[in-house]
Amino acid sequence: MRVAVTGAGGRLGRALVAALAEAPFTGLSGPIAWTRADFDLDAPEAAAALIRGDRPELVIHAAAWTDVDGCARDPDLAFARNATATGVLARACATAGVDLVVVSTNEVFDGERSTPYAPDDEPRPINPYGASKLEGERTAAGAYAGAQARLGIARTSWLFGPPGNDFPARILAAAERARDAGEPLRVVGDEHGSPTYTHDLAEAIIELVSDGDVGGIHHLVNGGVTSRAGWARELFRQARVAAAIEEVPAATWTRASSPPLRAVLAPTPLPSGEPMRPWQQALADYLPTLLRQRAAAAR
Ligand SMILES: NC(=O)c1ccc[n+]([C@@H]2O[C@H](COP(=O)([O-])OP(=O)(O)OC[C@H]3O[C@@H](n4cnc5c(N)ncnc54)[C@H](OP(=O)(O)O)[C@@H]3O)[C@@H](O)[C@H]2O)c1
């Protein structure tokens, strides 16, 4: 099967390309990696010609403008990149009879309730990033209405993984700065989610694809729920970093975008019946890579 990935240079895109290269169904030529040079969200009209030229049978749309504060400062650009561009890509795929998986986010929900969100719960985004991603889901669904090909929406949350500059990398750097300044490290204690390893998410998407079960809305997250502070604490325990954490509310810092405080996704079943593993185990797998990345950056 010929599978193309948009945003192939991004955090999830890299993991998808690596996992698809190992998947038996992508054949000898492997996946088709579309970086920003091939498919730029600011020039999405390129999609139709790209599909004609590369002839994918499935496209996984991982490209997005993921700078949530940037999206809040420029909501029009957020909609152009995350909604309009997704719609253009979806129409090109649906017209060509190509299946599409759109990667989306837990931030389509308001995070105001205490129980996890199922795929058919009513979305209500509270920031422009979430609103633009939800509109991307909806424009894609519109493009596939009545189409022969299938559309899957894969929502996820709190991604971590190479090449760095993710929450684990940033919190390790912050802990170092706090230690040098002789201050406690202040970490948000009232924002909850499921940290999800890009490698595991890529494998889960591949499982859905290889089972031919990609259509519909999927909630794909590692097992377990924690706060930002809980995530930091577990990371420090695993990395043997001694750091005193002071839990503070998310409202402590003024940001352009407000995160939903409890937009926790209820995981949907995978074809194997096995849930994605707990986030702590995934973090332990990632740790050696994370520490190597930090060492390389320090050189
Ligand atoms: N990160 C999270 O915690 C998280 C949580 C839930 C859902 N998601 C969703 O998961 C997907 C993958 O996220 P990610 O963390 O892998 O994001 P990322 O690392 O920021 O990657 C985004 C990709 O989009 C590409 N892109 C193409 N055109 C762009 C444009 N005009 N402006 C900005 N970027 C453009 C980027 O290209 P360059 O490589 O050239 O920059 C990059 O490869 C996205 O759909 C995101 O909404 C992410």
Side-chain angles (χ1 to χ4, degrees), residues 102 106 276:
V102 171
N106 62 320
M276 287 169 69

Side-chain angles (χ1 to χ4, degrees), residues 116 158 191-195 222-227 230 262 264-265 267 279-280:
W158 289 18
E191 187 194 349
H192 291 79
S194 301
N222 277 122
V225 177
T226 189
S227 65
R262 214 182 167 94
V264 172
L265 299 177
W279 66 268
Q280 297 91 333

Side-chain angles (χ1 to χ4, degrees), residues 68-160:
V68 291
D69 289 324
C71 287
R73 282 188 291 267
D74 195 342
D76 289 344
L77 188 57
F79 269 71
R81 289 179 171 170
N82 293 341
T84 310
T86 300
V88 173
L89 174 68
R91 278 191 294 281
C93 287
T95 303
V98 173
D99 289 342
L100 174 67
V101 175
V102 171
V103 181
S104 192
T105 173
N106 62 320
E107 299 210 20
V108 299
F109 295 112
D110 60 18
E112 285 174 11
R113 70 180 216 200
S114 56
T115 51
Y117 292 87
D120 55 359
D121 281 328
E122 191 59 38
R124 198 183 77 88
I126 60 165
N127 61 44
Y129 168 71
S132 66
K133 292 290 293 183
L134 177 61
E135 192 54 26
E137 291 185 8
R138 288 181 170 161
T139 53
Y144 274 79
Q148 292 293 318
R150 285 163 310 174
L151 170 69
I153 305 286
R155 293 184 185 139
T156 189
S157 70
W158 289 18
L159 290 183
F160 65 93

Side-chain angles (χ1 to χ4, degrees), residues 4-22 31-36 60-63 103 159-165 197-203 206 286 289 293:
V5 178
T6 71
R11 188 180 312 288
L12 176 60
R14 287 163 192 247
L16 280 165
V17 169
L20 284 163
E22 301 295 319
I32 306 161
W34 287 339
T35 64
R36 194 192 293 220
I60 305 177
H61 182 39
V103 181
L159 290 183
F160 65 93
N165 196 31
Y197 189 21
T198 48
H199 167 85
D200 291 9
L201 174 58
E203 295 289 347
I206 287 172
Y286 172 49
T289 309
Q293 282 166 186

